[in-house]
Amino acid sequence: MSWFPKLFTRVAKPITSDAPLFFTNTLSGKKDLFSPLTAGQATMYSCGPTVYSKAQIGNLRAYVFSDLIARVLSESGYRVRRVINITDVGHLQGDGDEGEDKIEAGAKKEGLHAEAIASKYTKLFIEDLSLLNIDTNAIQFPRATEYIKEQIAIITLLEEKGLTYRTADGIYFDTEKYPNYGVLDHSGPKLREEAFAEIGRRIKTNKEKHSPADFALWKFSPLGVRRQQEWSSPWGVGFPGWHIECSAMARALLGQPIDIHTGGMDHIPVHHTNEIAQSECAFGKPLARFWMHQAFLTLSGEKISKSLGNDVYLSNIVKESYSPLSLRYFFLQAHYRSPLSFSWEALAAANEALERLTRLSRRIAEEAKYKATPSDTSRRVIALLRDDLATPAALALLWEAVRDEDMERSEQLGVIKAADAVLGLSLLTPSVKLIVPESIQRLIEKREEARENRDFSTADALRIHISNSGYHVEDGPSGPIVTSRPG
Ligand code: AMP
Ligand code: ZN
């Protein structure tokens, strides 16, 4: 007989709600009611990782955040088209126009070609997203190097409009010529200038720049040096600046304007500000209608960052035998706009809470005979999630509901389904294919036989034996459901 965990087959009707959908829009500086440009469909572009090493868990917070947006949009009835770009060229160590190209530096360090480095870490990145229950089949992952022609076309347009100038090392955007420069960054030009001055103190900057805010659109390959990745262009052999790739890929794949553009808060003063300047000047219309930004994940008070060297990876978490979804649960405990401090103790607590919640949810599903009904509580959960993704409040309400012995089981299941459609914790279905050792597989089969023969004391004894070996078995509607690390 088949022992492998089955997906629930009886699908209840989705719990519907007419709660409005609100997102905090960095551009307006307030919570705005969401409505898309095209009825029934939403487009979203998320700035992707620079693939010179594995994504650290701070980066992963950015993509769990955009996954929450995608889920709440689909739950609200929108078809979602989305892109996460892969930065495989042009992102310099100074996060602007200075320092070495992170990909070329990574390639040298590992003795591999830039393209091989980018492919290796793109694959690992996408695997990490899948482990976090992000549906990677529903996302396009374009690479910057595949859109060089489109990037050159935008720079040409900007040049034709007289918005660029040339220095010894590249073609720059002249921010003085764009009166709207910096609209996204409500902190104002003074703070931005201070940030540029700080970069200037760390890294040698281009003295020919008219203003510190001006940024490279195209950089020339250094004289006498052959870069691993370089292209000819109307201005000379070189490579695109970091920001132009997003303007080009967003437009090519989703059109302009897009509905939602996401990224970390670090992108507000420079990267996103510059994307807006390029796209809006080139095409005379907004790049995105909603700009959404998530706060940092920190460790001992500092932003987790590959360049600071205080990085933690999803692979470390899995190695410590925690479920990858415990990281997702940990992220959901804080609102996306609040900074979140990582610690192994907090992760262990999240892992334990998730296991308990999963066990309770599956038991409720069984007792409810897999029939879910709506209630005030399920509608409140949906309203919370549609209110700018209030995940901590939604989790609290979910816990309250699953603990409420007086609530109808079918209503409890309704709350679980409504919440998990957005939270994405796989509370009712196993998320990843669990590899169960053969010895455990045999015990599970024996237990099934005992149950079929109504020998429940043997079945119970086998369940305890399986549990002591690190696996948890429960009876689903069409066979046993196996999970790892039971409490
Ligand atoms: P990068 O690979 O540096 O271009 O970053 C990819 C995404 O991860 C961007 O949206 C960054 O804002 C985000 N990010 C990087 N570090 C953190 C962090 N510690 N916390 C939250 N987001 C981060
Ligand atoms: Zn970007």
Side-chain angles (χ1 to χ4, degrees), residues 45-48 85 242-243 245-246 261 267 271-272 275:
Y45 183 96
S46 307
C47 288
N85 69 292
W242 173 35
H243 319 295
E245 64 172 88
C246 291
H261 196 313
H267 283 345
H271 183 53
H272 286 171
E275 281 186 34

Side-chain angles (χ1 to χ4, degrees), residues 283-320:
F283 302 106
K285 46 183 163 173
L287 169 57
R289 301 166 60 246
F290 281 74
W291 286 85
M292 295 178 66
H293 294 97
Q294 100 283 343
F296 289 146
L297 182 68
T298 59
L299 184 72
S300 317
E302 275 200 288
K303 174 190 169 194
I304 296 189
S305 145
K306 288 178 267 191
S307 27
L308 289 179
N310 62 351
D311 30 18
V312 177
Y313 300 97
L314 189 59
S315 52
N316 299 135
I317 287 174
V318 172
K319 214 175 192 167
E320 293 296 322

